[in-house]
Amino acid sequence: AAVILIEPKQLLTAEQKQATALFWQLLASPLSECVQRVLVGDESPFTQAEIACIQWTADCKTPQEISLLLTISEQDVNDHIQHSLQKTGVSHISQLIGFCRQWGLLTY
């Protein structure tokens, strides 16, 4: 992570303004928030139910099978997956699973 210190009277060039804007856009994204939580050692950005649904999905279980395993409704399984996708800002379950594996949030 880079830290940019700017003196109050310092004027930024157009290139610096663009880089700074991009930096803050990336910093504000949901995925960066999740990564930041993992990197600084805070608790997981996901609930236990969300992690369980992601883990079982990674194990190739269908939402119906997961609902039986976790004794929750199939709609709850789908909601947990959707919330997890929103938290990370990714658009597909395979990206979500990859994120969780990369940051050690799944059991294997």
Side-chain angles (χ1 to χ4, degrees), residues 33-101:
E33 288 177 24
C34 287
V35 171
Q36 184 65 21
R37 287 180 186 162
V38 171
L39 291 177
V40 298
D42 286 354
E43 62 189 51
S44 169
F46 305 107
T47 66
Q48 288 181 342
E50 289 167 345
I51 286 292
C53 290
I54 297 166
Q55 180 71 63
W56 285 115
T57 301
D59 290 341
C60 300
K61 300 293 184 195
T62 66
Q64 183 179 17
E65 292 170 320
I66 297 168
S67 72
L68 294 172
L69 289 164
L70 299 179
T71 61
I72 60 176
S73 72
E74 191 173 340
Q75 183 59 52
D76 284 343
V77 172
N78 291 326
D79 289 344
H80 289 313
I81 295 296
Q82 277 304 316
H83 292 150
S84 301
L85 290 167
Q86 290 169 352
K87 286 180 180 182
T88 58
V90 298
S91 58
H92 195 270
I93 188 67
S94 62
Q95 295 168 314
L96 177 63
I97 292 168
F99 171 86
C100 292
R101 282 187 176 145

Side-chain angles (χ1 to χ4, degrees), residues 17-31:
K17 286 180 186 178
Q18 186 177 13
T20 302
L22 179 60
F23 172 79
W24 286 111
Q25 279 180 334
L26 293 173
L27 186 64
S29 76
L31 181 57

